Amino acid sequence: MKKETIIIIGIESSCDDTGVSIIRNRNVLSNIIIHQEIHKKYGGVVPELASRLHDINLAKAVQQAIFSAKINQDQIDAVSFTLGPGLIGPLLVGASFAKSFSMGLGIPLLTVNHIQAHVLSHFIQDANLNNCYPKFPFLSLVISGGHTQIIKVNDFFQMEILGATLDDSVGEALDKIARMLGFYYPGGPMIEYFSKNGNDKKFIFSKPRVSGLNFSFSGFKSDVFQFIKKELKKNTLFIKQNLYDICASIQKTIAEILLEKVQKAIIITGISRIVLAGGVSANSEIRKIFLYFSKNQKNKKFEVFIPKKEYTTDNGAMIAITGLLKYERNLFDSIHVTPYSKFKKF
Ligand code: KG4
Ligand code: ZN
């Protein structure tokens, strides 16, 4: 007989955030995220340090998640965890923990593809600003620190990549530019913060010309680097005096690059349901521009699903919901699975 209530614990450890969440059916009971502040001063994630901190944080996060969810651990039906892609050390720590947890409690194991989880986070109850689930098929723009992809989603586990970055991901480019401007890692939120009071038309940066639905952010990043270096030669205080405008102009250009590709994808596929996902989709200018153009373009209107901020950056809830959707389809995994760092096809 089908169980009416399914409780899943989701474990995320693919990069620097330790995320553990407990969901009951599609409702989030707890969503604990422990950020690793140590990477700030290094300007990026140091894999060895991230692995050690996941090792320290995971047990704490699991205890907190169970406590906040107000359940007993023997009520958990299955454990899901990120198998890849991501940093191999951090993934191995999460995998070992999840396997032990599953063996200790005698419950099934569910492995999750991190990118798929970003997309499927929209199936958490009330996960997006529309407060409803996107209907299939839809196009998902996944914009994170590790990836930039346009994915055609035909069904929960039938996804097809239509375009991807040929070099840097959008988050990576933002983090590198932010570092040059003197910000800590992760730089995306800092660029957003300083954009607020800036003039986004003050500086013009060239947009990459990439065919089809692919992206390239390395050229854009170099363009910004060259421009700032040139200006610094003329005026050593250039960054300080123009910080707000530089950030606002960068943010606006990136939002436009993403929007233009998605508009192209809508024309090519005829699908006009757009689902934003990944850490960079927390950005308010990107959210604003997509919302505005979804409503205000004659003959080119589209429906856009904007994720709630808590489900944009890495979190355990997106791993738990993906686990739940796999559980419902009996897509269980063996204890012998091993993590992978590079993206594999879905
Ligand atoms: O999805 P995510 O948490 O991790 C990966 O799967 O990579 O994304 C992290 C990325 C980082 O590059 C970070 O700078 C960026 O998301 N990010 C933002 C914002 N919040 C996080 N970028 C722009 N604006 C934000 N508010
Ligand atoms: Zn992610």
Side-chain angles (χ1 to χ4, degrees):
M1 208 177 66
K2 221 176 139 203
K3 237 177 146 238
E4 266 180 31
T5 303
I6 299 165
I7 297 184
I8 306 282
I9 186 165
I11 296 176
E12 159 59 29
S13 72
S14 66
C15 195
D16 58 333
D17 291 327
T18 310
V20 178
S21 168
I22 297 193
I23 61 168
R24 183 192 285 129
N25 297 339
R26 292 186 183 189
N27 295 297
V28 175
L29 301 183
S30 61
N31 190 23
I32 307 297
I33 298 171
I34 305 182
H35 298 290
Q36 302 182 357
E37 305 294 332
I38 197 163
H39 307 288
K40 272 186 171 178
K41 59 179 180 215
Y42 295 100
V45 179
V46 182
E48 161 93 23
L49 295 176
S51 309
R52 287 174 184 275
L53 286 172
H54 282 305
D55 187 44
I56 294 168
N57 293 342
L58 260 171
K60 265 191 253 174
V62 167
Q63 280 173 337
Q64 280 179 31
I66 292 173
F67 180 78
S68 312
K70 298 190 175 67
I71 58 156
N72 295 319
Q73 71 178 29
D74 53 15
Q75 288 176 268
I76 300 173
D77 293 294
V79 52
S80 63
F81 72 99
T82 308
L83 193 64
L87 299 171
I88 201 68
L91 286 167
L92 282 163
V93 176
S96 301
F97 194 99
K99 287 179 188 179
S100 313
F101 198 84
S102 133
M103 287 180 83
L105 289 183
I107 54 174
L109 194 64
L110 301 148
T111 66
V112 170
N113 174 308
H114 183 85
I115 310 296
Q116 222 159 31
H118 271 302
V119 176
L120 297 178
S121 67
H122 282 266
F123 291 91
I124 293 167
Q125 188 89 48
D126 303 334
N128 52 56
L129 304 182
N130 307 36
N131 275 338
C132 63
Y133 305 127
K135 289 200 178 68
F136 298 112
F138 59 79
L139 298 177
S140 184
L141 175 70
V142 178
I143 38 180
S144 70
H147 298 86
T148 301
Q149 296 176 333
I150 295 182
I151 303 172
K152 182 174 174 230
V153 184
N154 298 314
D155 204 343
F156 293 109
F157 297 104
Q158 276 181 35
M159 301 191 186
E160 212 181 310
I161 295 176
L162 303 184
T165 183
L166 304 174
D167 39 58
D168 287 1
S169 73
V170 59
E172 196 179 347
L174 273 170
D175 291 338
K176 288 176 181 165
I177 291 170
R179 192 175 173 184
M180 189 193 194
L181 296 174
F183 297 142
Y184 285 133
Y185 171 85
M190 302 294 284
I191 291 190
E192 167 167 1
Y193 179 79
F194 283 95
S195 294
K196 287 205 172 95
N197 302 316
N199 171 3
D200 61 15
K201 293 179 192 68
K202 176 87 177 276
F203 303 110
I204 310 288
F205 299 109
S206 62
K207 294 181 192 165
R209 289 170 193 271
V210 189
S211 65
L213 298 179
N214 289 328
F215 298 90
S216 163
F217 286 99
S218 139
F220 173 79
K221 176 194 69 190
S222 306
D223 189 31
V224 175
F225 279 13
Q226 298 300 335
F227 168 75
I228 291 176
K229 268 192 204 155
K230 205 174 80 196
E231 294 300 322
L232 280 174
K233 273 190 192 152
K234 292 187 252 167
N235 170 11
T236 50
L237 295 176
F238 175 74
I239 293 181
K240 209 172 167 197
Q241 289 168 352
N242 295 279
L243 193 56
Y244 297 129
D245 298 341
I246 297 172
C247 288
S249 304
I250 289 168
Q251 186 177 258
K252 171 94 177 316
T253 314
I254 285 192
E256 284 174 358
I257 295 170
L258 296 170
L259 176 73
E260 283 164 22
K261 272 291 160 163
V262 166
Q263 287 175 322
K264 194 169 178 184
I266 294 172
I267 294 170
I268 293 174
T269 61
I271 298 171
S272 55
R273 259 185 300 278
I274 306 301
V275 167
L276 301 188
V280 182
S281 67
N283 184 273
S284 53
E285 175 65 21
I286 294 173
R287 295 159 86 88
K288 198 174 83 193
I289 206 171
F290 271 85
L291 263 179
Y292 179 83
F293 279 91
S294 68
K295 291 192 189 117
N296 291 309
Q297 268 197 319
K298 269 192 206 146
N299 309 325
K300 276 200 199 164
K301 288 200 177 89
F302 56 89
E303 192 183 0
V304 64
F305 290 78
I306 309 276
K308 290 205 174 136
K309 288 211 178 170
E310 64 209 277
Y311 303 124
T312 55
T313 45
D314 291 349
N315 63 87
M318 69 184 197
I319 307 304
I321 187 75
T322 309
L324 174 81
L325 293 164
K326 287 188 110 177
Y327 186 101
E328 290 169 347
R329 288 158 185 76
N330 292 320
L331 296 171
F332 299 107
D333 290 283
S334 115
I335 206 89
H336 304 294
V337 288
T338 52
Y340 53 90
S341 58
K342 291 257 172 304
F343 177 78
K344 286 186 183 172
K345 78 182 170 79
F346 293 123

